[in-house]
């Protein structure tokens, strides 16, 4: 059995920032992996009345990474970043979206987020969010909440798509 990074003994006593990042990366990986082993049809399958699909969840997570770790840090507009204006639009699946392209975009967004925060402290204020200045620690907590929620959605959708099994890969 693979031990999740957040349950590694070294993380128990690590600095708070290291703990945040271990949990964030664990959730990022789990959400990205929710698409592993699915067909394109399964990833696009709509099982709820909202726009939420497995492919849409990962695409939305890419948007979220860019909102909190590009827009909030660089103060660039969503137009400049190349993302939708609203979270609802970020679930829209285009004809050209594939499991591979959406996973790649998400992995790239997560890597960019890590680079953007590498030199910041938890107390540094991010000035580009629409709510006003927010400390990085709050953004990390918010991202954990967001990713945990979407990982739960993904687990349920994946179970429905696979007919009661959740085996990944």
């Amino acid at each position: 059995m693979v031990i999740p990074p957040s349950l590694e003994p070294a993380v128990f006593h690590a600095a708070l920032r290291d703990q945040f990042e271990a949990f964030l990366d664990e959730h990022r990986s789990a959400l990205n992996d929710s698409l592993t082993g699915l067909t394109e049809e399964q990833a696009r399958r709509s099982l709820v009345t909202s726009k939420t699909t497995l492919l849409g969840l990962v695409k939305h997570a890419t948007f979220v990474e860019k909102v909190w770790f590009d827009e909030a840090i660089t103060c660039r507009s969503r137009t400049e970043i190349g993302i939708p204006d609203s979270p609802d639009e970020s679930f829209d699946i285009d004809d050209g979206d594939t499991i591979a392209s959406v996973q790649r975009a998400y992995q790239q967004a997560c890597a960019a987020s890590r680079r953007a925060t590498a030199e910041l402290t938890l107390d540094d204020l991010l000035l580009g969010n629409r709510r006003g200045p927010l400390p990085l620690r709050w953004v990390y907590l918010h991202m954990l909440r967001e990713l945990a929620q979407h990982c739960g959605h993904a687990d349920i959708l994946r179970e429905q798509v696979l007919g009661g099994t959740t085996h990944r890969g």
Side-chain angles (χ1 to χ4, degrees):
M1 183 168 123
V2 176
I3 297 174
S6 64
L7 295 180
E8 290 289 341
V11 175
F12 296 162
H13 304 287
L16 182 59
R17 182 192 180 110
D18 295 333
Q19 291 177 337
F20 275 140
E21 290 174 354
F23 275 82
L24 277 170
D25 283 342
E26 187 176 308
H27 283 76
R28 287 167 171 155
S29 180
L31 188 57
N32 196 54
D33 289 348
S34 71
L35 296 172
T36 300
L38 298 180
T39 66
E40 296 294 334
E41 183 278 326
Q42 288 171 321
R44 290 172 172 270
R45 192 176 297 166
S46 178
L47 300 165
V48 294
T49 57
S50 70
K51 293 181 179 182
T52 308
T53 63
L54 284 162
L55 196 63
L57 275 172
V58 179
K59 191 169 180 182
H60 170 71
T62 301
F63 166 84
V64 171
E65 290 284 337
K66 291 180 178 188
V67 165
W68 290 105
F69 298 115
D70 189 335
E71 180 183 38
I73 293 172
T74 68
C75 300
R76 295 190 313 153
S77 72
R78 292 181 183 188
T79 301
E80 290 175 280
I81 297 167
I83 58 175
D85 192 52
S86 74
D88 188 53
E89 294 171 272
S90 71
F91 284 91
D92 292 345
I93 304 298
D94 302 324
D95 290 342
D97 289 329
T98 65
I99 292 170
S101 71
V102 169
Q103 283 181 314
R104 185 172 43 256
Y106 184 52
Q107 291 164 348
Q108 290 169 349
C110 292
S113 296
R114 287 184 208 94
R115 287 190 304 275
T117 59
E119 301 300 320
L120 301 177
T121 71
L122 293 177
D123 293 324
D124 281 338
L125 292 179
L126 309 186
L127 305 176
N129 187 265
R130 295 173 180 191
R131 290 170 182 81
L134 296 166
L136 180 60
R137 81 175 62 250
W138 186 92
V139 171
Y140 274 0
L141 285 168
H142 174 73
M143 284 297 295
L144 283 171
R145 174 178 54 199
E146 178 103 11
L147 289 170
Q149 179 182 14
H150 293 319
C151 282
H153 295 149
D155 284 345
I156 291 168
L157 290 174
R158 187 175 170 88
E159 185 175 337
Q160 288 178 319
V161 163
L162 296 176
T165 62
T166 58
H167 177 71
R168 294 183 185 176

